[in-house]
Amino acid sequence: MSSPNNSSPWKLEWSDDLSVSIPEIDAEHQHFIQLVNALNEAIVARMEVRAIQQRMQAILEDATAHFAHEETLFKEWNYPDAEQHAQRHAEVLQALHEIMHGFDKNGLDYEWIEAGLQVKQALIEHMLAEDMKYRDYCRTLGK
Ligand SMILES: [Fe+2]
Ligand SMILES: [Fe+2]
């Protein structure tokens, strides 16, 4: 994960390390990364608050749909950690709502940057820590 070799420390890039080996989910995760990058670009370019909020909202909507999709797949797979993973999803969504709520009320530069970093952190950490667990499970199923 990462941004080792480019000029912007904000920009995330997809790498095969992030693949869960399920094409439809990989595509959604890639889209996620694009949305997070779009948010970070808006912050770095100091776009107006409204543009930043719209990008945050797009991430929130995308995350909500993506999480629901994963949870549907867990049922199909009889994934044993489905409940715990769904709990993590709920926590991430809650965190995103709180970040957006906090962001609504203020607009200092460092607060924008902080909000953007928190959004990025919450989503990327989830992908790396939690989604990789079902990747490993699916591999044991030979999926
Ligand atoms: Fe995911
Ligand atoms: Fe997930």
Side-chain angles (χ1 to χ4, degrees), residues 35-92:
L35 291 177
V36 172
N37 282 334
L39 170 65
N40 287 328
E41 279 164 24
I43 291 170
V44 171
R46 303 172 68 127
M47 287 183 192
E48 55 176 11
V49 177
R50 200 172 146 64
I52 295 174
Q53 280 173 332
Q54 280 169 348
R55 288 172 191 217
M56 282 187 175
Q57 183 63 34
I59 289 172
L60 190 60
E61 285 167 14
D62 195 72
T64 303
H66 168 67
F67 290 167
H69 184 200
E70 282 187 347
E71 288 165 28
T72 302
L73 293 174
F74 295 161
K75 286 194 190 116
E76 288 174 19
W77 304 335
N78 287 317
Y79 180 46
D81 293 330
E83 207 174 310
Q84 194 229 22
H85 195 125
Q87 182 60 35
R88 296 285 94 78
H89 284 165
E91 288 165 10
V92 172

Side-chain angles (χ1 to χ4, degrees), residues 44-143:
V44 171
R46 303 172 68 127
M47 287 183 192
E48 55 176 11
V49 177
R50 200 172 146 64
I52 295 174
Q53 280 173 332
Q54 280 169 348
R55 288 172 191 217
M56 282 187 175
Q57 183 63 34
I59 289 172
L60 190 60
E61 285 167 14
D62 195 72
T64 303
H66 168 67
F67 290 167
H69 184 200
E70 282 187 347
E71 288 165 28
T72 302
L73 293 174
F74 295 161
K75 286 194 190 116
E76 288 174 19
W77 304 335
N78 287 317
Y79 180 46
D81 293 330
E83 207 174 310
Q84 194 229 22
H85 195 125
Q87 182 60 35
R88 296 285 94 78
H89 284 165
E91 288 165 10
V92 172
L93 290 178
Q94 175 69 23
L96 294 183
H97 277 290
E98 280 170 18
I99 292 163
M100 282 193 70
H101 183 69
F103 186 79
D104 273 343
K105 288 184 296 193
N106 45 54
L108 299 176
D109 282 6
Y110 79 89
E111 288 167 331
W112 295 13
I113 291 168
E114 184 63 30
L117 281 174
Q118 284 175 358
V119 167
K120 178 164 87 171
Q121 201 80 348
L123 293 171
I124 300 307
E125 274 176 9
H126 177 80
M127 212 156 58
L128 289 174
E130 301 300 323
D131 290 351
M132 290 303 148
K133 293 179 187 167
Y134 71 67
R135 175 196 63 184
D136 295 340
Y137 173 76
C138 286
R139 282 183 181 168
T140 65
L141 292 182
K143 274 184 182 289

